[in-house]
């Protein structure tokens, strides 16, 4: 027996393996809300243009609302024999309202239907991700304001470089998240065009109003080319690209949390809420939430790579390969969502060891650049000469096993006689961070100002909705 939804041309039922490889309902069932919304808009447009009767449109609308409720309450039976969400909805609609259900598919195809559904779905994902990133930023900003003056080591090559503040470090991720949000918003602008009405690939001979359905579904406009409308998934690729960059940002921060919580470093602590123990070692406190955020990045990047490979050789227009566009993307978006929420929780949970941070900030002669700057500023040395002199002084301190600010003044003067006791005022880690007052610098007053600015900006965004 052939499929009653499309099987007029076929006299035999598909092979069992064919049914298994062809079915997509296990994945695209997640598009049910978008599919029903698009169908309601389509039915209303058909009636408005005299293509179906107002009575049929009304019955279709009521039937679709019933199906939406059934699915939402878990009372809907998804049938794999019906392949996908579109056929499952249409079949149930037929049970509810009879032959009028068959009029719903007038002037459309599953090709433009699925493209519309998936655009609506990805648009919803973008909006949800933006809200999650805003909450992440809020958590970071609040902690940055709290720790605007908390000194910690800044690193390059994972080696102690110069003192910074913990608040400054946290604000770096606020800026990254802002760019992530910008990329998602850019993707949203480009995806917000409606494929509905493009039909299979060539448009339709029915007098439809694609602008009306686009407006009803809050799209900016209908897509201008019917071939393009059904055959490209660049809107998913672009959103996954933004998601991949965002996931990398989350992973970098997660890696830092793993390092900082190690007893060898000991700069922060996480509570029981975001750590786990060992089945054999009672003393262990493992930063598993951070480690899993790190790992989730692979799922997001993998989803992007997978879809790029699916799409790379497809001629226009729709190809069945494109059925593989959803599962990886949905899993990737879900992984990112979980990662962002986990990172937000850890930001709120973490407790910095301020004494350890301050001590670590002074290790490795981290204020050497401050000494070189003092030589330039006070003794008018060319920077390269000051760099050389400072290097010799650092070597002398290392030889004696003392910190830079503990090196006797006379030993500094043996290397550069013009150095005065005033130099000692710039060699502490507190003095170092306070001096970094250039725009974007780590001076506590800068950090507090930037954090307060972000508080206002995020509050304004919330009010604007």
């Amino acid at each position: 027996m052939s499929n009653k939804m499309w099987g007029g041309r076929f006299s035999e039922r598909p092979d069992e393996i064919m049914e298994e490889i062809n079915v997509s309902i296990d994945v695209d069932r997640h598009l049910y809300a978008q599919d029903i919304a698009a169908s309601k808009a389509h039915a209303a447009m058909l009636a408005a243009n005299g293509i179906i009767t107002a009575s049929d449109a009304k019955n279709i609308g009521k039937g679709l609302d019933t199906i939406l409720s059934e699915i939402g309450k878990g009372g809907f039976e998804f049938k794999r024999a019906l392949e996908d969400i579109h056929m499952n909805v249409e079949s149930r609609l037929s049970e509810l309202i009879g032959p009028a259900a068959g009029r719903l598919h007038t002037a459309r195809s599953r090709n433009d239907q699925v493209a519309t559904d998936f655009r609506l779905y990805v648009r919803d994902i973008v909006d949800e991700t933006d809200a999650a990133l805003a909450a992440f930023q809020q958590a970071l900003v609040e902690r940055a304001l709290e720790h605007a003056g908390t000194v910690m080591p800044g690193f390059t090559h994972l080696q102690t470089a110069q003192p910074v503040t913990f608040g400054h470090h946290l604000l770096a991720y606020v800026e990254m998240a802002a760019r992530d949000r910008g990329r998602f918003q850019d993707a949203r602008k480009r995806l917000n065009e409606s494929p509905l009405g493009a039909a299979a690939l060539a448009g339709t001979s029915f007098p439809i109003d694609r602008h009306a359905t686009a407006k009803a579904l809050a799209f900016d406009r209908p897509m201008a080319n019917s071939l393009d409308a059904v055959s490209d998934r660049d809107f998913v690729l672009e959103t996954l690209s933004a998601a991949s960059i965002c996931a990398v940002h989350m992973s970098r921060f997660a890696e830092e949390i793993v390092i900082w919580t190690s007893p060898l470093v000991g700069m922060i602590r996480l509570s029981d809420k975001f750590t786990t123990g060992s089945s054999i070692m009672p003393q262990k406190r493992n930063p598993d939430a951070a480690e899993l955020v790190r790992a989730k990045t692979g799922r997001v990047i993998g989803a992007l790579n997978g879809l790029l490979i699916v799409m790379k050789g497809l001629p226009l227009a729709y190809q069945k390969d494109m059925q593989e566009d959803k599962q990886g993307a949905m899993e990737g978006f879900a992984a990112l969502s979980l990662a962002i929420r986990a990172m937000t929780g850890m930001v709120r949970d973490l407790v910095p060891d301020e004494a350890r941070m301050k001590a670590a900030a002074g290790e490795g002669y981290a204020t050497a650049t401050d000494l070189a700057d003092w030589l330039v500023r006070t003794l008018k040395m060319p920077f390269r000469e000051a760099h050389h002199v400072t290097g010799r002084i650092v070597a002398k301190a290392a030889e004696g096993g003392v910190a830079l600010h503990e090196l006797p003044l006379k030993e500094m003067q043996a290397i550069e006689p013009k150095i005065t006791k005033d130099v000692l005022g710039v060699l502490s880690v507190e003095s170092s961070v306070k001096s970094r007052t250039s725009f974007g610098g780590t001076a506590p007053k800068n950090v507090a100002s930037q954090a307060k600015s972000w508080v206002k900006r995020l509050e304004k965004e919330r009010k604007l909705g």
Side-chain angles (χ1 to χ4, degrees):
M1 179 180 178
S2 64
N3 189 308
K4 68 178 182 178
M5 305 297 282
W6 51 259
R9 170 68 176 81
F10 295 78
S11 58
E12 295 183 60
R13 67 173 298 131
D15 186 88
E16 186 176 326
I17 295 298
M18 178 61 193
E19 286 188 340
E20 184 63 26
I21 198 172
N22 193 50
V23 70
S24 65
I25 188 60
D26 297 336
V27 175
D28 62 28
R29 64 193 294 173
H30 297 294
L31 301 177
Y32 76 89
Q34 292 80 12
D35 190 72
I36 290 172
S39 288
K40 290 176 70 176
H42 185 67
M45 181 276 296
L46 292 176
N49 289 274
I51 300 170
I52 66 174
T53 67
S55 176
D56 281 346
K58 184 177 180 180
N59 289 332
I60 288 170
K62 286 183 177 180
L64 290 171
D65 284 338
T66 298
I67 295 169
L68 182 64
S69 178
E70 289 176 346
I71 298 175
K73 293 177 180 178
F76 186 91
E77 181 186 0
F78 290 99
K79 299 175 182 177
R80 299 184 95 240
L82 293 173
E83 296 182 10
D84 57 33
I85 186 61
H86 322 300
M87 289 186 171
N88 269 266
V89 169
E90 187 174 331
S91 176
R92 177 57 178 150
L93 185 63
S94 182
E95 293 173 356
L96 290 171
I97 69 171
R103 302 187 188 284
L104 174 59
H105 209 55
T106 306
R108 75 173 184 183
S109 161
R110 282 191 294 176
N111 294 356
D112 64 333
Q113 194 175 356
V114 70
T116 302
D117 293 356
F118 205 18
R119 279 181 184 265
L120 291 170
Y121 179 89
V122 174
R123 190 176 70 185
D124 289 342
I125 289 293
V126 168
D127 293 343
E128 291 166 9
T129 304
D130 183 73
L133 285 171
F136 175 61
Q137 288 179 299
Q138 184 70 37
L140 288 167
V141 167
E142 289 173 4
R143 300 310 304 275
L145 198 54
E146 181 184 350
H147 293 285
T150 300
V151 178
M152 69 171 286
F155 300 96
T156 61
H157 308 278
L158 207 55
Q159 306 295 310
T160 302
Q162 292 178 277
V164 296
T165 71
F166 188 44
H168 190 59
H169 197 108
L170 295 177
L171 286 181
Y173 286 101
V174 175
E175 297 292 337
M176 293 180 211
R179 293 193 295 276
D180 289 327
R181 293 178 68 189
R183 276 182 281 270
F184 279 112
Q185 288 304 315
D186 287 345
R188 192 189 195 282
K189 291 175 186 176
R190 275 181 283 278
L191 74 79
N192 205 37
E193 296 183 342
S194 175
L196 195 57
L201 75 162
T204 177
S205 60
F206 289 95
I208 63 172
D209 185 348
R210 293 189 61 211
H211 288 85
T213 50
K215 184 178 180 181
L217 295 170
F219 286 115
D220 293 331
R221 62 191 70 84
M223 296 185 74
N225 184 285
S226 59
L227 286 167
D228 176 46
V230 300
S231 67
D232 209 346
R233 294 295 184 267
D234 59 352
F235 67 96
V236 192
L237 291 170
E238 185 173 9
T239 307
L240 281 172
S241 179
S244 296
I245 296 170
C246 181
V248 167
H249 287 155
M250 296 296 149
S251 184
R252 294 183 70 185
F253 194 9
E255 170 71 2
E256 291 187 321
I257 289 175
V258 171
I259 293 170
W260 292 346
T261 55
S262 167
L264 293 173
V265 178
M267 292 203 306
I268 68 167
R269 295 185 301 277
L270 288 173
S271 77
D272 295 353
K273 295 177 181 178
F274 289 95
T275 55
T276 65
S278 165
S279 64
I280 189 172
M281 296 170 284
Q283 83 282 7
K284 292 295 294 297
R285 181 187 291 277
N286 300 321
D288 283 4
E291 291 172 8
L292 288 166
V293 167
R294 228 170 28 185
K296 295 292 183 186
T297 304
R299 286 186 176 270
V300 185
I301 296 172
L304 172 61
N305 287 341
L307 185 53
L308 283 167
I309 293 167
V310 166
M311 297 300 298
K312 71 175 181 61
L314 300 186
L316 300 183
Y318 181 83
Q319 312 290 333
K320 193 66 171 182
D321 312 51
M322 292 163 68
Q323 184 169 291
E324 292 297 313
D325 62 351
K326 296 172 202 67
Q327 183 171 0
M330 289 176 174
E331 290 175 354
F333 293 140
L336 178 62
S337 174
L338 185 55
I340 295 170
R341 287 182 284 127
M343 290 305 300
T344 303
M346 283 185 278
V347 168
R348 296 194 181 283
D349 183 73
L350 64 83
V351 177
D353 186 332
E354 296 184 29
R356 176 62 192 132
M357 280 186 168
K358 182 178 177 181
E363 294 173 357
Y365 306 101
T367 58
T369 304
D370 297 274
L371 173 56
D373 289 347
W374 185 89
L375 294 172
V376 171
R377 187 169 54 250
T378 305
L379 303 186
K380 310 303 180 186
M381 275 188 189
F383 181 78
R384 284 299 163 209
E385 182 182 348
H387 187 287
H388 182 71
V389 170
T390 300
R392 292 175 60 198
I393 292 174
V394 168
K396 188 68 175 178
E399 183 184 310
V402 297
L404 200 54
H405 68 277
E406 295 172 339
L407 186 68
L409 179 62
K410 63 180 181 179
E411 295 196 30
M412 293 188 194
Q413 291 172 331
I415 295 170
E416 174 47 64
K418 294 180 182 179
I419 292 177
T420 69
K421 64 180 181 179
D422 292 343
V423 74
L424 301 177
V426 304
L427 297 182
S428 71
V429 291
E430 294 92 345
S431 296
S432 177
V433 295
K434 286 180 181 178
S435 71
R436 305 296 170 182
T437 56
S438 59
F439 182 80
T442 193
K445 67 176 185 179
N446 283 19
V447 175
S449 176
Q450 286 288 340
K452 289 175 183 176
S453 177
W454 270 108
V455 168
K456 292 178 181 177
R457 179 171 166 179
L458 292 169
E459 179 62 27
K460 183 178 179 181
E461 287 178 0
R462 280 192 296 272
K463 289 180 178 177
L464 292 174

